[in-house]
Amino acid sequence: MKRFLIWWEERCRSVGPLRFIDIVLRGIGQVMFQDNPVSGLLFFIAVGWGSYAAGVPQVAIGGLLGVVVATVTARWLRVDHAALAAGLYGYNAYLVGIALPTFLANSLLLWVYLVLGAMLSVVATLAVANLMKASGVAALTAPFILVTWLLLLSAYAFSGIHGEALPASGQITPIPPEAANPLAIVDFAQGMLVSISQVFVKGNGVAALLILIGLAVGSLAAAGFALAAALISVVVAHALGAESQLISAGLVGFNPILTAIALGTVFYRPSPRVAVYALLATILTVMVQGAMVSALTPFGIPTLTASFVLVTWLFLLPGQKLD
């Protein structure tokens, strides 16, 4: 793999279009902190497969369009070249591109929305990065959350575009005890696996395996932390009495997975001390995810990756030297 990456980098230096493709693929890879075009390609294939299997190919197309538009926009704005080359201006737009076709009905206006959202994600990335500069904390997926929430909320105000799969808005009510059924082993395993693919808004087992392979290509430690977080999130959510269908659909576990990878492998080097720190954050993310669902239900918008961002910021801001 190392030889291939060296060969690929040499080709990118001599062929302009290949460099653009490299940036796009790295942007997709950065959704799970992988500055690696092979990981990005595997993630893209995973999303494509999951979209095809679900009968919504527009999700995969939207993601690709989003990251391409953002890359062009970032170049036009003359952002930092090293950050652009690492895909750091593409991953938020990729998530915007797969989220909007997931929650909004397919129409011409949706694609206009998507292009505007991808462009806005670059501006939001610059804004959040400047805002957080003093604290030394990364923007993470905060720009994606901000842009997507604004666009989804605005859909309620315009008749030309409407939500197709937005959460139902209404009064917050506690879930009944019968909703937290005991998990069968198959459901338990499914909850772990699908949690991984839900990072890309795809509840698909094959997509999850491809994403795991993509993670392992970029970082074996990241793949290990992802699997551990998937297991922990399912156990904690079930122990707390979360709704069984949400657990098996992976909707409780995808945020804890991102938290575990970020703290366990990206901002700190893996070690026993770091693993315990990431474990605590992973458990807290499950709880914060529940809080975010309760808080956002009246607004009729999804939580997206908000609990991951909040908990990761919380655990990075103390600035502890754990390495």
Side-chain angles (χ1 to χ4, degrees):
M1 180 57 66
K2 189 175 181 180
R3 288 184 178 180
F4 170 78
L5 290 175
I6 293 173
W7 173 85
W8 173 256
E9 183 61 29
E10 290 173 350
R11 300 287 79 74
C12 289
R13 289 197 194 99
S14 57
V15 184
L18 283 183
R19 173 60 69 191
F20 186 86
I21 293 172
D22 179 72
I23 294 173
V24 166
L25 291 176
R26 289 177 190 271
I28 298 173
Q30 287 286 7
V31 171
M32 298 188 81
F33 305 102
Q34 302 307 307
D35 182 9
N36 187 312
V38 179
S39 296
L41 178 61
L42 287 167
F43 294 168
F44 175 70
I45 294 172
V47 172
W49 173 262
S51 301
Y52 171 77
V56 284
Q58 64 267 26
V59 172
I61 296 169
L64 181 60
L65 178 61
V67 70
V68 168
V69 169
T71 302
V72 172
T73 303
R75 279 188 166 183
W76 177 68
L77 290 174
R78 298 179 181 176
V79 301
D80 176 70
H81 178 73
L84 174 64
L88 295 178
Y89 289 96
Y91 70 94
N92 279 293
Y94 185 72
L95 288 171
V96 170
I98 62 179
L100 292 181
T102 297
F103 296 107
L104 298 177
N106 194 8
S107 68
L108 177 60
L109 280 177
L110 166 65
W111 299 100
V112 175
Y113 245 44
L114 198 153
V115 170
L116 289 173
M119 297 173 71
L120 181 58
S121 74
V122 179
V123 178
T125 299
L126 290 167
V128 175
N130 281 334
L131 185 66
M132 303 299 291
K133 187 180 293 183
S135 62
V137 174
L140 304 176
T141 56
F144 152 62
I145 297 166
L146 176 64
V147 170
T148 306
W149 275 352
L150 289 175
L151 292 179
L152 292 181
L153 279 171
S154 70
Y156 287 108
F158 305 118
S159 61
I161 189 164
H162 61 277
E164 196 170 54
L166 286 173
S169 178
Q171 207 72 11
I172 299 175
T173 55
I175 69 167
E178 58 269 20
N181 299 317
L183 291 180
I185 293 178
V186 173
D187 295 327
F188 192 94
Q190 179 181 327
M192 283 184 57
L193 194 60
V194 178
S195 293
I196 296 168
S197 64
Q198 283 289 5
V199 172
F200 292 90
V201 204
K202 281 278 130 325
N204 184 279
V206 175
L209 290 173
L210 287 169
I211 291 167
L212 265 180
I213 295 170
L215 274 174
V217 166
S219 166
L220 283 174
F225 270 86
L227 275 174
L231 173 62
I232 291 164
S233 63
V234 170
V235 170
V236 171
H238 186 57
L240 291 174
E243 190 172 343
S244 303
Q245 288 185 341
L246 294 180
I247 299 174
S248 57
L251 296 175
V252 178
F254 68 95
N255 273 292
I257 287 171
L258 289 172
T259 300
I261 295 173
L263 294 175
T265 70
V266 178
F267 298 105
Y268 296 109
R269 286 178 294 186
S271 71
R273 186 193 301 267
V274 168
V276 174
Y277 198 64
L279 170 64
L280 179 60
T282 300
I283 294 172
L284 180 62
T285 306
V286 176
M287 300 176 180
V288 173
Q289 173 68 7
M292 293 300 301
V293 170
S294 299
L296 294 176
T297 294
F299 298 99
I301 54 175
T303 63
L304 303 176
T305 53
S307 56
F308 148 64
V309 171
L310 289 175
V311 174
T312 303
W313 278 350
L314 177 64
F315 276 70
L316 288 176
L317 283 171
Q320 293 300 108
K321 303 297 182 183
L322 301 178
D323 292 340

